[in-house]
């Protein structure tokens, strides 16, 4: 990310942010509410609302410059090359469809898998994120599973396409402390297994200390400090 700016009307909420993350690295973006963390992530995903105006010196994913892609080409990047784990798991699962459908339909539409292959992949990633009763979960609707299990389902969906970069926006905010620790351990092991770049957005420095290699601190739409986690903490 080079010189990213996001504005709504005359109000600029992201002010020239530049960030980078390497393959196999964990970058934490930390800051208070309203510091521009989530707006930065949504700009990378191309998921900002229509009212947002963005400009930058460049948004790169490997050799691909995302900000110069056509809308159609940009739309297929999330889900293929970039995985996204939103906050508030229960509000990001559709209450009208069972979990199995919510995992398999994107695999069929985005990745072109057959129904059989999509179900096999969905079951594989559910097992990988530690869900044991896979048959029940595949049939269940979101209100029939716990918050911790819903977060695991979202993580499974995010990694199902084997993305190069995984963006996690406050992935443990809505969970109790014990489940938070389990989810962080899961993210760490998945990131190492798939050799993904992982960006985790949080306001919790404990999460940064536990999980990240480098950290960027945001305030009022700007990066005010960045460096290795040990150096920043010291």
């Amino acid at each position: 990310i080079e010189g990213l700016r996001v504005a709504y009307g005359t109000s600029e909420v992201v002010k020239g942010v530049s960030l980078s993350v390497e393959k196999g690295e964990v970058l934490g973006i930390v800051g208070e509410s309203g510091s521009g963390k989530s707006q930065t992530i949504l700009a990378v995903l191309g998921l900002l609302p229509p009212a947002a105006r963005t400009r930058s010196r460049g948004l790169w994913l490997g050799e691909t410059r995302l900000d110069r892609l056509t809308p159609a080409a940009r739309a297929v990047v999330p889900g293929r090359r970039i995985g996204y784990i939103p906050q508030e798991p229960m509000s990001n699962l559709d209450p009208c469809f069972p979990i199995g459908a919510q995992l398999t339909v994107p695999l069929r539409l985005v990745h072109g898998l057959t129904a059989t292959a999509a179900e096999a992949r969905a079951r594989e990633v559910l097992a990988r994120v530690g869900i044991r009763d896979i048959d029940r979960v595949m049939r269940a609707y979101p209100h029939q599973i716990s918050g911790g299990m819903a977060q695991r389902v979202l993580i499974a969906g995010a990694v199902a396409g084997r993305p190069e970069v995984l963006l996690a926006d406050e992935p443990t905010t809505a969970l109790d402390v014990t489940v938070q620790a389990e989810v962080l351990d899961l993210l760490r092991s998945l990131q190492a297994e798939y050799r993904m770049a992982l960006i985790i957005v949080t306001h919790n420095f404990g999460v940064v200390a536990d999980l990240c290699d480098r950290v960027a601190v945001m305030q009022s739409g700007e990066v005010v400090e960045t460096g290795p986690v040990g150096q920043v903490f010291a």
Side-chain angles (χ1 to χ4, degrees), residues 28-31 37 168-172 200-205 207-208:
I29 303 178
V30 69
K37 308 184 300 296
D169 188 0
E170 302 274 11
T172 60
I200 185 163
V201 173
T202 183
H203 60 263
N204 187 334
F205 262 108
V207 171
V208 172

Side-chain angles (χ1 to χ4, degrees), residues 184-204:
L184 291 176
D185 285 342
L186 173 61
L187 286 173
R188 185 188 296 106
S189 63
L190 286 170
Q191 183 266 338
E193 180 180 335
Y194 293 129
R195 292 293 295 164
M196 297 178 291
L198 172 60
I199 299 177
I200 185 163
V201 173
T202 183
H203 60 263
N204 187 334

Side-chain angles (χ1 to χ4, degrees), residues 15 41 56 60 66 101 140 153 156 179 185:
K15 305 170 184 176
I41 293 302
S56 69
W60 299 87
L66 299 177
V153 167
V179 180
D185 285 342

Side-chain angles (χ1 to χ4, degrees), residues 81-151:
R81 300 184 65 189
I82 302 178
Y84 175 51
I85 306 169
Q87 53 182 310
E88 298 292 345
M90 283 305 187
S91 61
N92 282 283
L93 290 170
D94 193 319
C96 300
F97 296 94
I99 299 300
Q102 297 190 54
L103 290 174
T104 57
V105 170
L107 289 168
R108 295 177 66 183
L109 295 180
V110 177
H111 297 276
L113 298 185
T114 65
T116 302
E119 181 169 349
R121 178 62 179 154
R123 288 175 173 275
E124 176 189 333
V125 291
L126 285 177
R128 181 60 191 82
V129 300
I131 292 177
R132 294 177 182 174
D133 192 357
I134 292 175
D135 288 336
R136 183 185 71 82
V137 172
M138 290 282 282
R139 293 191 304 269
Y141 286 80
H143 71 275
Q144 295 173 317
I145 62 176
S146 68
M149 190 172 290
Q151 189 63 284

Side-chain angles (χ1 to χ4, degrees), residues 1-5 16-18 55-60 65 67-68:
I1 304 172
E2 297 181 3
L4 174 67
R5 294 181 179 274
V17 164
S18 295
R55 57 191 175 96
S56 69
R57 296 193 300 274
L59 296 176
W60 299 87
R65 185 160 174 182
D67 55 320
R68 290 188 175 173

